[in-house]
Amino acid sequence: MACNSCSTGKDGQPKGCKNNGTCGTDSCNKLTVFDWLSNMSLPNGEKPFDWVEVRFKNGRKHYYKNAENLSLSIGDIVATQAQAGHDIGMVTLAGELVRVQMKRKNISETPEEVLKIYRKASQRDIDIWQKARDKEEAMKVKARQFAIDLKLQMKISDIEYQGDASKATFYYTAEERVDFRELIKVFAKEFRTRIEMKQVGFRQEAARLGGIGSCGRELCCSTWLTDFRSVSTSSARYQQLSLNPQKLAGQCGKLKCCLNYELDSYLDALKSFPKTEIKLQTEKGVGVCQKTDIFKGHMWYAYEGEWMNWHKLTTEQANEIIEINSKKKKVASLEEYALDLVEDTKTDFENVVGQDSLTRFDSPKRSKKRRNNRNRNKRRPKNNAK
């Protein structure tokens, strides 16, 4: 099976990426789960779990019951039940780990309407499905033009055909509510199929389309991240990042999800720091916090009116001064505390390689000019005095 960007060749292998359906540009490798229970056998008398996980385009996953007791394994192309007709997808997980995944996602094993797997997909099913997938890119270009002509404030980000080509789902993003009734009529007349419009968020759009982040790796939301937690600018403030929207925003235009990854570590480290708005009362003047170094545990203070001269203190020293101030006493100055942190900036260079110069055995090169002069003197005939 090939992904959306790699068409299938005659031998069934992708012509573009040559990775046999395991590339990371489309749905081949999105939100994959490693089956760490695959090498474990069930106890005697236990029946295998009869639900499987099936993945569709761009990481869309559903759980289906194997009511026909088909022999399914990871990578099989199957025809699954849909609201009308059938859909085509790939089995990505089977066995007891499916039970764990369904429990984690709060999916009931006994729902009112059980979706079933009809059969393993035949070659005819795969051909129809592949022809429908090939139409999606051209349809997306036309659909966007139709939305522009009707002056609708929406963006059509992706189109997904059902496996039997009987329905096309249009995914779109919009800031406000959009009346697309006239647009559906245009789509149905132009594309001759059932139309379904589905609105997604900007983060869901980035997860579906994928891409490369500023870190140089694939987007987290399109590879492994499944839940989108709210991200606020306070996360950047705690980590002392510049509040530059261009640097803090991701592909979706929202704040990057990775701002929350190390936030807890920063919050734990900041517990030992005094609040930056607390001023230090000294006999020389009032000290105001100018900068903090969370990793080294240092804080820089400057006197009011002398903003160019900063004095470096540790968190223990700053807390000690604040405690003295709480007793309505003042310390002499910040300098007496800052002197303890004066560091020797002299650098001693050492031979870290553990050996001498690598060219110590090379013979010194002689000057070519000097050698040429010697040769000329040898060739010149001597003038004998008569």
Side-chain angles (χ1 to χ4, degrees):
M1 184 188 98
C3 63
N4 189 29
S5 60
C6 309
S7 57
T8 306
K10 296 180 180 179
D11 55 351
Q13 305 295 333
K15 292 192 297 184
C17 61
K18 303 295 183 182
N19 283 329
N20 301 333
T22 59
C23 69
T25 57
D26 195 70
S27 63
C28 295
N29 201 28
K30 285 187 179 181
L31 303 178
T32 55
V33 178
F34 178 72
D35 190 359
W36 48 274
L37 295 176
S38 58
N39 59 345
M40 300 179 66
S41 59
L42 294 173
N44 294 330
E46 290 289 334
K47 294 183 179 180
F49 192 58
D50 56 352
W51 286 73
V52 295
E53 181 186 76
V54 181
R55 185 186 64 213
F56 301 93
K57 183 184 177 183
N58 289 334
R60 181 173 64 91
K61 292 182 178 181
H62 288 297
Y63 295 91
Y64 295 89
K65 188 171 184 178
N66 186 8
E68 302 295 332
N69 293 325
L70 301 174
S71 179
L72 299 177
S73 58
I74 296 176
D76 289 340
I77 311 297
V78 293
T80 62
Q81 182 181 356
Q83 291 182 355
H86 67 272
D87 205 352
I88 301 294
M90 176 190 288
V91 176
T92 54
L93 209 59
E96 290 298 317
L97 197 58
V98 180
R99 191 197 304 270
V100 179
Q101 289 291 95
M102 293 176 65
K103 185 177 180 180
R104 187 176 69 88
K105 297 180 180 180
N106 295 324
I107 298 175
S108 175
E109 299 180 12
T110 58
E112 296 179 359
E113 296 181 2
V114 180
L115 298 177
K116 302 177 182 179
I117 293 179
Y118 290 144
R119 62 185 182 277
K120 287 187 178 181
S122 62
Q123 187 60 42
R124 183 174 178 275
D125 295 331
I126 295 176
D127 292 340
I128 295 173
W129 174 49
Q130 191 62 47
K131 287 180 182 179
R133 290 288 298 272
D134 294 339
K135 297 178 184 178
E136 292 172 355
E137 195 63 30
M139 287 178 61
K140 184 166 61 176
V141 176
K142 290 184 179 181
R144 288 177 175 176
Q145 188 59 46
F146 290 146
I148 293 172
D149 295 340
L150 294 175
K151 297 181 181 180
L152 298 177
Q153 299 299 321
M154 60 185 297
K155 175 190 174 184
I156 297 175
S157 59
D158 197 15
I159 299 175
E160 182 180 359
Y161 254 109
Q162 193 168 288
D164 56 358
S166 62
K167 185 183 74 171
T169 303
F170 290 75
Y171 295 91
Y172 72 94
T173 56
E175 294 284 353
E176 299 177 356
R177 188 173 180 179
V178 180
D179 185 7
F180 47 76
R181 288 177 292 182
E182 188 66 27
L183 184 64
I184 292 178
K185 295 179 182 178
V186 176
F187 285 170
K189 183 179 179 180
E190 177 69 22
F191 303 128
R192 302 289 182 179
T193 185
R194 290 189 299 114
I195 305 297
E196 180 182 354
M197 303 294 294
K198 191 171 184 179
Q199 184 176 3
V200 294
F202 292 99
R203 288 182 173 175
Q204 284 80 6
E205 179 190 20
R208 288 185 62 85
L209 301 181
I212 304 297
S214 58
C215 58
R217 304 186 65 178
E218 290 188 66
L219 299 181
C220 297
C221 54
S222 64
T223 51
W224 62 272
L225 189 63
T226 56
D227 56 335
F228 298 99
R229 299 181 181 178
S230 60
V231 185
S232 61
T233 54
S234 60
S235 303
R237 291 194 183 96
Y238 284 124
Q239 301 176 51
Q240 298 181 351
L241 300 174
S242 61
L243 300 180
N244 187 350
Q246 295 180 350
K247 292 184 178 180
L248 297 180
Q251 301 274 13
C252 56
K254 306 294 183 181
L255 293 176
K256 295 179 181 178
C257 296
C258 55
L259 292 176
N260 283 341
Y261 294 169
E262 298 179 356
L263 180 60
D264 294 338
S265 300
Y266 277 89
L267 293 176
D268 291 339
L270 286 171
K271 289 180 180 179
S272 60
F273 280 74
K275 294 182 178 180
T276 55
E277 58 267 17
I278 298 178
K279 298 180 180 180
L280 304 183
Q281 305 294 331
T282 66
E283 295 178 357
K284 189 176 179 180
V286 178
V288 182
C289 182
Q290 301 294 316
K291 177 186 173 184
T292 59
D293 190 335
I294 299 176
F295 300 105
K296 294 183 179 180
H298 293 163
M299 302 181 72
W300 283 262
Y301 286 85
Y303 291 114
E304 291 182 347
E306 299 180 7
W307 304 111
M308 299 299 294
N309 299 324
W310 290 10
H311 304 282
K312 183 169 66 173
L313 306 177
T314 62
T315 55
E316 292 81 5
Q317 292 173 337
N319 287 323
E320 181 182 348
I321 296 175
I322 292 173
E323 187 178 354
I324 294 174
N325 294 154
S326 64
K327 299 177 182 179
K328 297 183 179 181
K329 295 181 181 180
K330 296 183 179 180
V331 297
S333 63
L334 297 176
E335 285 81 353
E336 64 179 9
Y337 289 91
L339 287 175
D340 297 337
L341 291 177
V342 176
E343 299 176 357
D344 187 9
T345 58
K346 183 179 179 181
T347 305
D348 295 331
F349 296 95
E350 298 179 357
N351 185 10
V352 296
V353 181
Q355 61 184 16
D356 296 329
S357 175
L358 298 176
T359 59
R360 64 188 184 276
F361 294 118
D362 297 345
S363 58
K365 295 182 179 180
R366 296 181 179 179
S367 176
K368 293 183 179 180
K369 185 177 180 180
R370 193 173 177 186
R371 188 183 304 167
N372 293 335
N373 291 336
R374 289 184 179 179
N375 294 335
R376 289 175 184 174
N377 293 334
K378 290 180 180 179
R379 295 174 183 174
R380 186 178 298 170
K382 295 181 180 181
N383 296 328
N384 296 326
K386 295 182 180 178

